[in-house]
Amino acid sequence: MTTRRLSGPAPIATPSDVPGSHAGNDSAVTQIIAAVQRTIDGPSGWLGRALGKQRLIMEDDGWCGRDVSLYYPPIIGNIVVQYLDVQGVLQTVDQSSYRTVDTGIRFSSSFSFPRLACEPDAVRVQYDAGYEADNVPPEAKRAVILMALKMTAFSKESLFLRSEEVDGVGKIDYTIFDQAGEVLRKASDELLMGLRMYG
Protein backbone atom coordinates (compact mmCIF):
# COMPACT_ATOMS: atom_id res chain seq x y z
CA MET A 1 0.00 0.00 0.00
CA THR A 2 1.31 3.42 -0.93
CA THR A 3 -0.05 6.94 -0.62
CA ARG A 4 1.13 9.77 -2.83
CA ARG A 5 0.18 13.36 -3.50
CA LEU A 6 -1.73 14.32 -6.64
CA SER A 7 -1.87 18.06 -5.96
CA GLY A 8 -1.00 20.58 -3.26
CA PRO A 9 -0.31 21.15 -0.51
CA ALA A 10 -1.76 24.63 -0.17
CA PRO A 11 0.70 26.86 1.71
CA ILE A 12 -0.08 27.39 5.39
CA ALA A 13 2.04 30.56 5.63
CA THR A 14 2.79 33.53 3.38
CA PRO A 15 5.91 35.67 2.91
CA SER A 16 4.24 38.42 4.97
CA ASP A 17 4.15 35.98 7.93
CA VAL A 18 7.95 35.58 7.82
CA PRO A 19 9.87 38.41 9.53
CA GLY A 20 12.27 40.33 7.31
CA SER A 21 12.59 43.14 4.82
CA HIS A 22 11.14 41.19 1.86
CA ALA A 23 7.85 42.03 0.13
CA GLY A 24 4.61 40.33 1.16
CA ASN A 25 4.53 38.48 -2.17
CA ASP A 26 8.26 37.72 -2.47
CA SER A 27 8.58 34.72 -4.81
CA ALA A 28 11.84 33.49 -3.25
CA VAL A 29 10.28 33.39 0.22
CA THR A 30 7.18 31.71 -1.24
CA GLN A 31 9.44 28.96 -2.64
CA ILE A 32 11.21 28.62 0.72
CA ILE A 33 7.86 28.21 2.50
CA ALA A 34 6.80 25.54 -0.02
CA ALA A 35 10.11 23.66 0.38
CA VAL A 36 9.96 23.82 4.18
CA GLN A 37 6.35 22.67 4.25
CA ARG A 38 7.02 19.67 1.99
CA THR A 39 9.65 18.37 4.46
CA ILE A 40 6.96 17.92 7.11
CA ASP A 41 3.62 17.81 5.27
CA GLY A 42 1.76 14.80 3.84
CA PRO A 43 3.38 11.80 2.12
CA SER A 44 6.69 13.61 1.51
CA GLY A 45 7.07 14.76 5.13
CA TRP A 46 7.90 13.23 8.49
CA LEU A 47 4.88 14.52 10.43
CA GLY A 48 2.48 11.81 9.23
CA ARG A 49 -0.22 14.46 8.84
CA ALA A 50 -1.54 16.68 6.06
CA LEU A 51 -1.28 20.38 6.89
CA GLY A 52 -2.11 22.34 3.74
CA LYS A 53 -5.10 21.13 1.75
CA GLN A 54 -4.02 18.48 -0.78
CA ARG A 55 -5.34 15.70 -3.00
CA LEU A 56 -3.97 12.24 -2.17
CA ILE A 57 -4.30 8.78 -3.65
CA MET A 58 -3.88 5.51 -1.77
CA GLU A 59 -3.03 2.53 -4.01
CA ASP A 60 -3.00 -1.14 -3.13
CA ASP A 61 -2.84 -4.46 -4.95
CA GLY A 62 -5.99 -5.83 -3.31
CA TRP A 63 -9.01 -5.08 -1.18
CA CYS A 64 -8.06 -4.36 2.43
CA GLY A 65 -11.30 -5.62 3.94
CA ARG A 66 -14.39 -3.66 4.92
CA ASP A 67 -12.38 -1.01 6.80
CA VAL A 68 -9.82 0.94 4.78
CA SER A 69 -7.45 3.28 6.61
CA LEU A 70 -6.54 6.51 4.86
CA TYR A 71 -3.34 8.13 6.00
CA TYR A 72 -2.28 11.76 6.52
CA PRO A 73 -5.27 13.16 8.40
CA PRO A 74 -7.38 15.14 8.69
CA ILE A 75 -9.41 13.58 5.89
CA ILE A 76 -11.62 16.30 4.38
CA GLY A 77 -13.65 14.20 1.98
CA ASN A 78 -14.23 14.04 -1.78
CA ILE A 79 -13.48 10.32 -1.60
CA VAL A 80 -13.49 8.34 -4.84
CA VAL A 81 -12.90 4.57 -4.78
CA GLN A 82 -11.78 2.94 -8.03
CA TYR A 83 -10.39 -0.42 -9.07
CA LEU A 84 -9.00 -2.22 -12.09
CA ASP A 85 -11.25 -5.13 -13.00
CA VAL A 86 -9.88 -8.43 -14.31
CA GLN A 87 -9.85 -6.98 -17.84
CA GLY A 88 -7.73 -4.04 -16.63
CA VAL A 89 -10.58 -1.54 -17.04
CA LEU A 90 -10.82 1.20 -14.40
CA GLN A 91 -14.16 1.05 -12.55
CA THR A 92 -15.62 3.42 -9.93
CA VAL A 93 -17.37 2.08 -6.81
CA ASP A 94 -20.77 3.66 -6.18
CA GLN A 95 -20.61 6.01 -3.18
CA SER A 96 -23.58 4.28 -1.60
CA SER A 97 -21.33 1.22 -1.09
CA TYR A 98 -19.15 2.89 1.57
CA ARG A 99 -19.20 5.62 4.17
CA THR A 100 -16.57 7.85 5.73
CA VAL A 101 -15.33 7.01 9.23
CA ASP A 102 -12.72 8.80 11.37
CA THR A 103 -9.78 6.85 10.01
CA GLY A 104 -10.92 6.27 6.42
CA ILE A 105 -13.83 4.44 4.85
CA ARG A 106 -16.01 1.43 5.67
CA PHE A 107 -17.67 -0.67 2.98
CA SER A 108 -21.26 -1.69 3.62
CA SER A 109 -21.97 -5.31 4.52
CA SER A 110 -23.86 -5.72 1.26
CA PHE A 111 -20.90 -4.68 -0.89
CA SER A 112 -19.43 -7.60 -2.83
CA PHE A 113 -15.75 -7.08 -3.55
CA PRO A 114 -15.13 -7.45 -7.31
CA ARG A 115 -12.23 -9.50 -8.68
CA LEU A 116 -9.21 -7.40 -9.56
CA ALA A 117 -6.46 -7.22 -12.15
CA CYS A 118 -3.10 -8.40 -10.85
CA GLU A 119 -1.57 -4.93 -10.53
CA PRO A 120 0.16 -3.11 -7.63
CA ASP A 121 -2.38 -0.27 -7.96
CA ALA A 122 -5.50 -2.36 -8.58
CA VAL A 123 -7.39 -0.50 -5.83
CA ARG A 124 -7.22 3.31 -5.75
CA VAL A 125 -8.77 5.67 -3.25
CA GLN A 126 -8.52 9.39 -3.94
CA TYR A 127 -9.32 11.88 -1.19
CA ASP A 128 -8.72 15.39 0.07
CA ALA A 129 -6.75 15.85 3.27
CA GLY A 130 -5.37 18.75 5.29
CA TYR A 131 -6.74 21.81 7.01
CA GLU A 132 -8.70 24.70 5.59
CA ALA A 133 -6.59 27.89 5.69
CA ASP A 134 -8.31 29.35 8.76
CA ASN A 135 -8.17 26.06 10.66
CA VAL A 136 -4.45 25.15 10.48
CA PRO A 137 -3.04 24.32 13.94
CA PRO A 138 -1.20 27.47 15.08
CA GLU A 139 1.84 25.46 16.18
CA ALA A 140 2.21 24.04 12.65
CA LYS A 141 2.00 27.47 11.05
CA ARG A 142 4.49 28.89 13.55
CA ALA A 143 6.92 26.03 12.93
CA VAL A 144 6.82 26.63 9.15
CA ILE A 145 7.41 30.36 9.75
CA LEU A 146 10.41 29.64 12.00
CA MET A 147 11.95 27.20 9.50
CA ALA A 148 11.36 29.65 6.64
CA LEU A 149 12.98 32.41 8.72
CA LYS A 150 16.03 30.22 9.20
CA MET A 151 16.25 29.51 5.45
CA THR A 152 15.83 33.17 4.47
CA ALA A 153 18.56 34.08 6.96
CA PHE A 154 20.93 31.60 5.29
CA SER A 155 20.39 33.33 1.97
CA LYS A 156 21.79 36.61 3.27
CA GLU A 157 25.48 36.91 2.56
CA SER A 158 26.35 38.86 5.71
CA LEU A 159 25.15 36.04 7.92
CA PHE A 160 27.98 33.81 6.74
CA LEU A 161 30.47 36.17 8.45
CA ARG A 162 31.62 35.29 11.93
CA SER A 163 32.44 38.91 12.71
CA GLU A 164 33.26 42.19 11.09
CA GLU A 165 35.59 44.70 12.71
CA VAL A 166 35.80 48.34 11.64
CA ASP A 167 38.61 50.50 13.08
CA GLY A 168 37.25 53.06 15.49
CA VAL A 169 33.71 51.69 15.25
CA GLY A 170 33.80 48.25 16.79
CA LYS A 171 33.10 44.61 16.06
CA ILE A 172 29.84 43.00 14.91
CA ASP A 173 29.26 39.29 15.50
CA TYR A 174 26.81 37.29 13.39
CA THR A 175 25.40 34.31 15.21
CA ILE A 176 22.22 33.39 13.31
CA PHE A 177 24.07 30.84 11.19
CA ASP A 178 25.03 28.70 14.17
CA GLN A 179 23.40 29.32 17.53
CA ALA A 180 20.25 31.14 16.46
CA GLY A 181 19.73 28.73 13.56
CA GLU A 182 19.86 25.80 15.96
CA VAL A 183 17.42 27.54 18.31
CA LEU A 184 14.95 28.04 15.44
CA ARG A 185 15.25 24.39 14.38
CA LYS A 186 14.67 23.08 17.90
CA ALA A 187 11.75 25.43 18.45
CA SER A 188 10.03 24.32 15.25
CA ASP A 189 10.58 20.62 16.08
CA GLU A 190 9.09 21.10 19.55
CA LEU A 191 6.05 22.85 18.10
CA LEU A 192 5.42 19.97 15.71
CA MET A 193 6.01 17.00 18.00
CA GLY A 194 2.52 17.22 19.51
CA LEU A 195 1.01 16.93 16.03
CA ARG A 196 3.06 13.97 14.84
CA MET A 197 1.16 10.86 13.78
CA TYR A 198 2.74 7.43 14.29
CA GLY A 199 1.91 4.20 12.51
Side-chain angles (χ1 to χ4, degrees):
M1 179 189 304
T2 60
T3 303
R4 57 187 175 87
R5 185 184 286 120
L6 295 176
S7 64
I12 64 170
T14 66
S16 58
D17 294 321
V18 180
S21 58
H22 53 267
N25 61 350
D26 187 295
S27 61
V29 179
T30 299
Q31 291 174 358
I32 287 171
I33 290 169
V36 162
Q37 193 173 323
R38 280 183 177 266
T39 67
I40 59 174
D41 194 349
S44 62
W46 60 263
L47 195 58
R49 179 185 295 274
L51 297 174
K53 191 173 179 181
Q54 53 202 280
R55 185 78 176 157
L56 303 178
I57 184 168
M58 183 277 291
E59 299 170 320
D60 205 347
D61 61 358
W63 299 106
C64 305
R66 298 228 174 260
D67 291 312
V68 178
S69 294
L70 299 176
Y71 297 98
Y72 309 104
I75 309 305
I76 299 173
N78 296 324
I79 298 171
V80 177
V81 180
Q82 296 179 306
Y83 64 94
L84 290 171
D85 66 19
V86 288
Q87 283 79 37
V89 178
L90 189 63
Q91 306 286 348
T92 301
V93 176
D94 190 283
Q95 291 184 343
S96 64
S97 298
Y98 57 89
R99 63 185 174 90
T100 305
V101 293
D102 284 343
T103 58
I105 60 172
R106 176 171 294 147
F107 287 101
S108 66
S109 57
S110 61
F111 179 67
S112 179
F113 293 101
R115 290 177 53 222
L116 302 170
C118 187
E119 297 290 344
D121 60 348
V123 176
R124 307 167 185 183
V125 182
Q126 292 188 35
Y127 59 101
D128 290 341
Y131 295 91
E132 297 294 344
D134 59 350
N135 216 16
V136 174
E139 57 267 50
K141 182 174 181 177
R142 191 69 193 149
V144 167
I145 292 168
L146 288 174
M147 288 187 281
L149 176 61
K150 179 180 175 184
M151 297 303 293
T152 56
F154 285 170
S155 68
K156 295 179 180 170
E157 241 177 77
S158 62
L159 294 175
F160 286 93
L161 298 173
R162 282 283 183 194
S163 64
E164 181 178 10
E165 191 164 352
V166 179
D167 290 338
V169 176
K171 180 179 174 184
I172 301 173
D173 292 312
Y174 299 93
T175 58
I176 186 75
F177 188 78
D178 292 327
Q179 292 88 0
E182 184 63 15
V183 168
L184 292 175
R185 186 194 64 76
K186 284 184 178 177
S188 61
D189 285 353
E190 287 172 9
L191 285 167
L192 291 169
M193 289 313 291
L195 294 172
R196 189 169 187 184
M197 302 290 295
Y198 296 90

